RNA sequence: GCGGAAGUAGCUCAAUUGGUAGAGCUCCAGCCUUCCAAGCUGGAGGUUGCGGGUUCGAGACCCGUCUUCCGCUCCA
């Protein structure tokens, strides 16, 4: 069936709400923008994806261990990482052109223009006079001095305004300088606003500035500051990795596209510490390994592609994304970055502590290089769900909505139905559930026709439905109905658990790596 | 943040130019006993996003506000 892409994405969002995967945060209070809650099925799917990642990274690698660092960290952490300075730009919009500018850049460009005028005066004078004394000209010419004073005044006002955090004054400077928008040519400006990447809060009862702490904008720093603790107490030998999953917080200017870009989100990161000079080898290794992991979901290998970063962040010497074909196009799912020794060096400098590793083979100490793999759990959730969501046209003309989730990740692994709710069938179904519930999340349903019950389970991605009928009472067999093919098999009740073990445990997925 | 559109039951939508808020599906309790959503009976569910205003009377008109969607803008 052909559904328009934007409608398809809308249908997925509706489906998420209707079947208890994702609700908007605080919906009864009209919601909170770009914040979402995971419902009963969403929480299971998310937990299963997280568990698969953790096992693939930690359990399957002897040299990778996991930690769980606090969200609160010492404020100096973020000075060292560069997050405090890099993300507090004053922004201003032109109301006519709808263009947004950094206010500081506008003012700097204005100052540069005045400097150009001075240079032009100097050039003109040079041509006009013989025996031209440029130094004298610059310090005495009335026009040059006027320009120079203007520059000094603007710079001093601007510096004071920034130091005081006086955004109204920054706007006033732009007005006083008669700065116009390069596009519209108008001076119709909005107020200047400061956008901070990090959410700040106060530790302790008194809100003094020294007590300001931040909600972490990335989990990686929790790994870096603990790198030596883990290396020493775990007797880790390079190369080794530290993995972590957890919430991070970013005050995005515009957060859109459902759970793709949220202000509160969960990261799954692994920092791999390597000998300097070997980082490109490991960078390539993890690119391959991570793509293979994504492919193991079986959502279609053509839906993934690498996107190499041309412009690198200040800390990286190589970086790429694994992009996924979301309903709204190819977008970043996971980042793989060679972060060099930037972070550890920064923390050495700011903490005054040595963060070196003694390499017995080389017989020397060094700060390790780091290769990072960082995947957004919420994005992975959205990728999985949107690729699994199918609106199928059946032969009889009906449509069926089904989630073709990898069975190991499905919120509910099996549903057990009595064909009819009498004659002892419900009791037998309960017995089967009591047998399975120690290993898997299973559910029971006796309402409506069995066909309707199958469809309900299809909609949440339950891979198997087990139906008890009258014959089951005597032959101890049940019907197993497959989600993807809708085919039915008859198997012994005694074999049901083994049947599920082979199909819905994480083991089969892990073996694909 | 700017511009555009929208907000009525859990969902999809109605409600003549302003005159007592309805339907289908879902849900719940029964009946029926059925292997792929369609049978029967009954029931629950709404301060029409929120707050003001105009009016005898507002779901509808006006103002504000919140949220969502689309497009700009931004994005380690």
């Amino acid at each position: 069936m052909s559904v328009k892409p934007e409608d398809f994405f809308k249908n997925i969002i509706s489906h998420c709400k209707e079947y208890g995967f994702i609700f908007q945060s605080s919906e009864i209070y009209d919601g909170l923008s770009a914040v979402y809650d995971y419902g009963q099925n969403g929480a299971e799917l998310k937990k299963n994806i997280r568990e698969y990642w953790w096992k693939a990274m930690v359990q399957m690698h002897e040299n990778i261990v996991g930690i769980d660092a606090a969200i609160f960290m010492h404020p100096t952490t973020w000075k060292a990482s560069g997050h405090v300075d890099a993300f507090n730009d004053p922004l201003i919009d032109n109301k006519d052109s709808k263009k947004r500018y950094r206010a500081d850049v506008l003012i700097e460009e204005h100052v540069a223009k005045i400097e150009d005028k001075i240079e032009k005066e100097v050039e003109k004078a040079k041509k006009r006079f013989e025996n031209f004394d440029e130094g004298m000209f610059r310090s005495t010419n009335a026009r040059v001095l006027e320009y120079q004073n203007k520059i000094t005044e603007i710079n001093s006002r601007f510096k004071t305004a920034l130091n005081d955090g006086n955004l109204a004054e920054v706007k006033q400077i732009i007005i006083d300088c008669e700065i116009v928008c390069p596009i519209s040519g108008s001076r119709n400006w909005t107020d200047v606003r400061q956008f901070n990447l990090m959410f700040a809060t106060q530790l302790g009862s008194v809100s003094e500035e020294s007590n300001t702490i931040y909600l972490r904008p990335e989990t990686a720093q929790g790994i870096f500051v603990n790198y030596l603790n883990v290396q020493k107490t775990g007797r880790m030998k390079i190369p080794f990795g530290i993995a972590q999953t957890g919430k991070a917080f970013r005050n995005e200017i515009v957060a859109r596209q459902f759970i793709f870009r949220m202000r509160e989100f969960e990261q799954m990161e692994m920092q791999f510490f390597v000998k300097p000079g070997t980082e490109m080898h490991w960078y390539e290794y993890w690119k391959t390994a991570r793509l293979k992991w994504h492919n193991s979901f079986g959502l279609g290998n053509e839906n993934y592609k690498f996107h190499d970063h041309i412009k690198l962040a200040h800390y990286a010497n190589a970086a790429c994304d694994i992009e996924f074909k979301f309903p709204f196009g190819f977008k970043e799912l996971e980042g793989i970055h060679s972060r060099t020794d930037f972070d550890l060096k920064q923390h050495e400098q700011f903490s005054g502590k040595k963060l070196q590793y003694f390499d017995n083979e080389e017989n020397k100490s060094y700060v390790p290089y780091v290769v990072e793999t960082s995947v957004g759990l919420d994005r992975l959730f959205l990728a999985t769900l949107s690729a699994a969501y199918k609106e199928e046209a059946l032969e009889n003309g009906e449509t069926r909505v089904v989630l073709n989730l990898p069975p190991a990740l499905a919120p509910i692994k099996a549903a057990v139905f009595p064909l009819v709710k009498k004659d002892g069938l419900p009791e037998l179904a309960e017995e089967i559930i009591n047998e399975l519930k120690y290993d898997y999340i299973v559910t029971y349903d006796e309402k409506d026709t069995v066909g309707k019950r199958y469809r309900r389970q299809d909609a949440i991605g339950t891979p198997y439905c087990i139906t008890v009928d009258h014959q089951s009472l005597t032959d101890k067999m049940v019907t197993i109905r497959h989600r993807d093919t809708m085919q039915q098999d008859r198997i012994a009740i005694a074999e049901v658990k083994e049947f599920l073990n082979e199909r819905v445990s994480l083991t089969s997925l892990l073996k694909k790596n």
Side-chain angles (χ1 to χ4, degrees):
Chain A
M1 37 185 334
S2 61
V3 183
K4 278 184 282 179
E6 63 264 32
D7 288 340
F8 187 70
F9 188 41
K10 272 183 187 165
N11 291 350
I12 290 172
I13 295 170
S14 302
H15 191 84
C16 280
K17 185 188 175 187
E18 188 174 357
Y19 289 95
F21 283 90
I22 294 169
F23 308 121
Q24 193 181 12
S25 165
S26 320
E27 196 184 10
I28 61 168
Y29 291 109
D30 277 337
L32 187 60
S33 188
V35 183
Y36 292 90
D37 298 337
Y38 286 81
Q40 67 277 21
N41 290 319
E44 286 296 332
L45 175 56
K46 187 181 179 190
K47 185 206 71 181
N48 292 340
I49 294 172
R50 187 196 294 113
E51 188 182 359
Y52 177 40
W53 180 88
W54 187 271
K55 288 195 166 180
M57 298 306 269
V58 176
Q59 189 169 320
M60 303 306 288
H61 293 92
E62 277 186 47
N63 61 343
I64 298 178
V65 293
I67 65 166
D68 184 10
I71 289 170
F72 294 150
M73 299 185 72
H74 193 285
T76 308
T77 306
W78 306 112
K79 287 206 174 74
S81 71
H83 285 86
V84 171
D85 294 327
F87 301 100
N88 51 7
D89 308 326
L91 301 177
I92 190 166
D93 291 343
N94 183 271
K95 291 178 184 172
D96 298 314
S97 67
K98 315 295 180 202
K99 281 283 178 184
R100 168 167 294 167
Y101 301 92
R102 278 173 55 172
D104 54 334
V105 171
L106 282 179
I107 292 172
E108 277 163 18
E109 283 174 352
H110 182 70
V111 166
K113 270 185 197 164
I114 301 176
E115 280 167 353
D116 281 350
K117 285 181 181 171
I118 293 179
E119 293 310 315
K120 274 182 189 159
E121 289 293 330
V122 171
E123 287 301 314
K124 271 197 287 183
K126 246 184 205 171
K127 284 175 188 166
R128 197 173 307 157
F129 304 110
E130 289 173 25
N131 301 327
F132 177 65
D133 184 339
E134 188 174 327
M136 179 67 87
F137 182 80
R138 281 182 190 272
S139 57
T140 56
N141 179 277
R143 219 175 262 174
V144 170
L145 284 179
E146 191 187 321
Y147 287 141
Q148 197 59 55
N149 285 340
K150 215 183 245 176
I151 291 173
T152 311
E153 185 207 333
I154 293 170
N155 280 340
S156 125
R157 272 181 77 187
F158 183 51
K159 200 176 167 191
T160 309
L162 275 192
N163 284 342
D164 298 347
N166 188 346
L167 298 179
E169 169 68 0
V170 173
K171 184 184 182 184
Q172 195 56 49
I173 293 170
I174 289 173
I175 292 170
D176 292 347
C177 291
E178 303 183 337
I179 295 174
V180 299
C181 169
I183 307 283
S184 67
S186 86
R187 297 176 199 159
N188 192 6
W189 297 106
T190 64
D191 287 341
V192 176
R193 292 174 311 276
Q194 192 101 24
F195 283 108
N196 289 97
L197 173 82
M198 292 191 288
F199 290 97
T201 187
Q202 274 81 39
L203 196 65
S205 54
V206 185
S207 39
E208 294 170 21
E209 194 175 333
S210 60
N211 289 332
T212 296
I213 58 168
Y214 299 101
L215 304 184
R216 64 183 178 199
E218 65 174 16
T219 56
Q221 300 303 326
I223 293 178
F224 295 136
V225 301
N226 278 300
Y227 132 80
L228 211 50
N229 285 335
V230 174
Q231 190 272 318
K232 287 190 167 162
T233 57
R235 299 185 295 119
M236 308 302 288
K237 300 274 188 293
I238 273 181
F240 72 94
I242 302 176
Q244 170 167 235
T245 72
K247 288 285 182 75
F249 304 83
R250 290 180 196 178
N251 195 14
E252 302 285 354
I253 296 168
V254 173
R256 280 279 173 79
Q257 280 160 330
F258 199 38
I259 60 170
F260 183 80
R261 178 169 291 116
M262 294 193 288
R263 300 213 158 93
E264 173 181 342
F265 61 104
E266 189 160 346
Q267 293 184 305
M268 305 195 292
E269 295 196 315
M270 193 279 297
Q271 308 292 335
F272 202 65
F273 299 89
V274 305
K275 186 192 292 184
T278 66
E279 70 270 15
M280 289 316 291
H281 164 75
W282 290 111
Y283 173 70
E284 292 299 329
Y285 171 88
W286 282 111
K287 275 178 74 172
T288 308
R290 293 306 301 150
L291 183 62
K292 201 172 178 191
W293 185 83
H294 285 290
N295 285 338
S296 73
F297 279 61
L299 301 174
N301 294 6
E302 69 282 3
N303 289 326
Y304 302 85
K305 71 178 184 190
F306 284 114
H307 173 253
D308 290 314
H309 287 197
I310 308 297
K311 196 180 154 208
L312 297 172
H314 57 280
Y315 52 74
N317 66 359
C320 72
D321 298 332
I322 294 176
E323 294 191 335
F324 182 80
K325 194 178 181 186
F326 286 94
F328 40 84
F330 271 102
K331 296 279 181 183
E332 178 186 349
L333 181 61
E334 171 155 1
I336 297 161
H337 296 192
S338 176
R339 290 182 79 133
T340 69
D341 56 0
F342 175 83
D343 296 278
L344 292 180
K345 278 248 174 85
Q346 286 289 105
H347 286 304
E348 270 199 332
Q349 192 186 323
F350 278 77
S351 69
K353 307 277 193 324
K354 278 216 182 259
L355 297 178
Q356 302 201 337
Y357 171 85
F358 183 78
D359 190 324
N360 278 307
E361 285 178 14
E362 302 279 319
N363 198 32
K364 65 173 184 184
S365 293
Y366 53 75
V367 175
Y369 270 45
V370 174
V371 175
E372 167 189 271
T373 73
S374 173
V375 56
L377 176 50
D378 309 277
R379 289 182 178 183
L380 195 49
F381 180 103
L382 183 59
T384 306
L385 197 114
S386 56
Y389 179 90
K390 303 271 165 50
E391 295 176 9
E392 288 183 350
L394 300 181
E395 287 175 1
N396 61 7
E398 289 176 355
T399 60
R400 173 176 86 126
V401 173
V402 58
L403 296 184
N404 293 123
L405 294 171
L409 302 182
I412 292 172
K413 300 294 190 264
V416 185
F417 308 145
L419 188 58
V420 296
K421 57 178 172 187
K422 64 174 190 183
D423 303 333
L425 301 189
E427 289 77 2
L428 182 54
E430 283 293 344
E431 273 178 39
I432 294 171
I433 282 181
N434 285 331
E435 187 66 25
L436 297 176
K437 71 181 179 188
Y438 297 98
D439 295 306
Y440 300 110
I441 291 189
V442 289
T443 190
Y444 174 83
D445 194 359
E446 61 175 27
K447 174 82 178 161
D448 299 313
T449 64
V450 73
K452 214 165 181 176
R453 285 177 267 168
Y454 287 149
R455 298 299 178 84
R456 276 203 285 266
Q457 295 304 321
D458 289 340
I460 60 169
T462 305
Y464 300 104
C465 293
I466 299 162
T467 302
V468 174
D469 56 26
H470 289 91
Q471 207 182 324
S472 304
L473 298 172
T474 51
D475 70 0
K476 303 295 176 196
M477 308 265 286
V478 287
T479 301
I480 291 215
R481 181 265 193 184
H482 299 251
R483 175 195 67 196
D484 298 345
T485 60
M486 299 194 285
Q487 284 181 347
Q488 304 184 6
D489 296 327
R490 191 98 177 141
I491 71 168
I493 293 172
E495 291 170 10
V496 169
K497 194 190 255 183
E498 185 56 29
F499 178 92
L500 290 179
N501 283 346
E502 287 169 11
R503 291 166 178 81
V504 307
S505 69
L506 275 177
T507 307
S508 55
L509 274 185
L510 288 167
K511 283 184 175 169
K512 289 185 186 174
N513 282 274

